[in-house]
Amino acid sequence: MKNEKKIAQMSDGSEIYYEKYGQGPALFLLHGNGGSGRYFSKQLNSFSKHFSVYVVDSRGHGRSTNTQKETSFQLMANDLAAIMMLENIDHADLLGFSDGANLAMVFARLYPEKVVHLILNAGNTVPSGVRTIPHLLSYVQYAIVWIGAFVDTGMRNFLPILRLLFRDIGLSTEDLNQIQAPTLVIVGKHDSIKTQHSMYLARSIPNASFAIVSGQGHMFARRNPKRFNQEVLQFLINEE
């Protein structure tokens, strides 16, 4: 499977790494907090048969850098828009996992004309959308990294990313009501995101459908890629 490896230079000096696979309409894959584009390794072969797949390392993640002391989904959405401009892409489908789904929602609100379809896997607009134990574990992780940041540069750079877990993403119900792109909200039944919160997203986005898959948790796309890919392609190709 051929791929192109690229780096986009942002106006603040940050470098955003991304890879391109396949040919066809543009499909961007957006990973979760602390991850990288490698999360989607089991989707590439399937999706690249139908799409030009762009796998992005969000700023400060993977092989991308971040010159800012803080980061935000708005900043990452602007990075995505800059990549689309560099690639001469007018509009694209966005598939986001976890924080990647949050990024996709923010992007769709800021750049509605650039979004054809949205697939939101395990996104949450507010921290209270996360189940109690995973949310508490995030605080434990933050405390460990905060202590480590005194002696380790990597951990220091990771703190702004972890802080995203404890903030609203900046979209109200009214903002979600404004998203017009056909949307698939898809989650595992045992996801760390509360089922009622995923249902809230599907209710609030006007053209959204909701899929809950039994036996799957937060890492659905990794644990059962065959089923995940099937659900995504069925939505995208049927919608087309």
Side-chain angles (χ1 to χ4, degrees):
M1 184 172 42
K2 285 182 66 176
N3 74 314
E4 300 173 46
K5 299 179 179 181
K6 305 188 178 191
I7 292 175
Q9 190 88 26
M10 298 299 110
S11 57
D12 66 352
S14 298
E15 294 184 338
I16 309 300
Y17 176 89
Y18 63 103
E19 297 181 358
K20 180 190 175 189
Y21 298 80
Q23 296 292 327
L27 168 63
F28 280 80
L29 306 185
L30 308 171
H31 63 78
N33 190 286
S36 75
R38 291 190 179 103
Y39 177 80
F40 293 106
S41 62
K42 296 180 180 180
Q43 278 65 56
L44 296 175
N45 191 46
S46 179
F47 293 171
S48 64
K49 291 173 183 172
H50 306 273
F51 299 93
S52 291
V53 181
Y54 292 85
V55 191
V56 181
D57 285 0
S58 294
R59 67 163 54 217
H61 293 71
R63 285 160 281 187
S64 294
T65 62
N66 180 27
T67 62
Q68 304 299 311
K69 287 185 177 177
E70 289 298 323
T71 191
S72 68
F73 292 112
Q74 289 76 13
L75 197 54
M76 290 190 276
N78 294 338
D79 294 340
L80 205 53
I83 291 171
M84 289 178 74
M85 190 183 294
L86 280 172
E87 294 285 338
N88 295 311
I89 297 168
D90 294 325
H91 41 72
D93 298 328
L94 303 184
L95 187 167
F97 159 66
S98 198
D99 266 11
N102 300 347
L103 169 56
M105 286 187 276
V106 171
F107 185 88
R109 188 69 184 98
L110 292 175
Y111 300 98
E113 74 288 350
K114 294 184 182 293
V115 182
V116 185
H117 301 98
L118 281 178
I119 301 104
L120 306 174
N121 173 217
N124 62 300
T125 55
V126 289
S128 61
V130 181
R131 295 184 199 269
T132 304
I133 291 175
H135 192 54
L136 290 174
L137 288 174
S138 295
Y139 278 102
V140 173
Q141 182 188 17
Y142 186 84
I144 292 166
V145 174
W146 184 83
I147 292 165
F150 287 102
V151 293
D152 185 86
T153 306
M155 287 192 177
R156 198 174 310 128
N157 293 338
F158 190 34
L159 282 176
I161 292 165
L162 278 180
R163 279 196 280 272
L164 292 172
L165 298 174
F166 310 109
R167 295 185 188 140
D168 293 6
I169 70 169
L171 295 185
S172 64
T173 303
E174 290 71 26
D175 290 321
L176 295 176
N177 292 162
Q178 298 302 311
I179 295 174
Q180 293 301 314
T183 300
L184 173 64
V185 177
I186 182 168
V187 288
K189 191 172 183 181
H190 307 293
D191 203 290
S192 54
I193 304 299
K194 295 174 183 173
T195 302
Q196 67 197 46
H197 187 75
S198 297
M199 293 173 73
Y200 153 75
L201 296 180
R203 280 196 312 270
S204 301
I205 298 171
N207 296 314
S209 54
F210 180 65
I212 185 164
V213 182
S214 62
Q216 298 304 316
H218 198 55
M219 309 291 278
F220 176 17
R222 297 287 297 176
R223 299 275 162 79
N224 192 346
K226 185 176 179 182
R227 176 71 188 276
F228 183 84
N229 298 353
Q230 179 186 3
E231 294 279 352
V232 169
L233 288 175
Q234 190 173 0
F235 169 73
L236 288 177
I237 292 167
N238 283 355
E239 279 287 338
E240 286 178 354

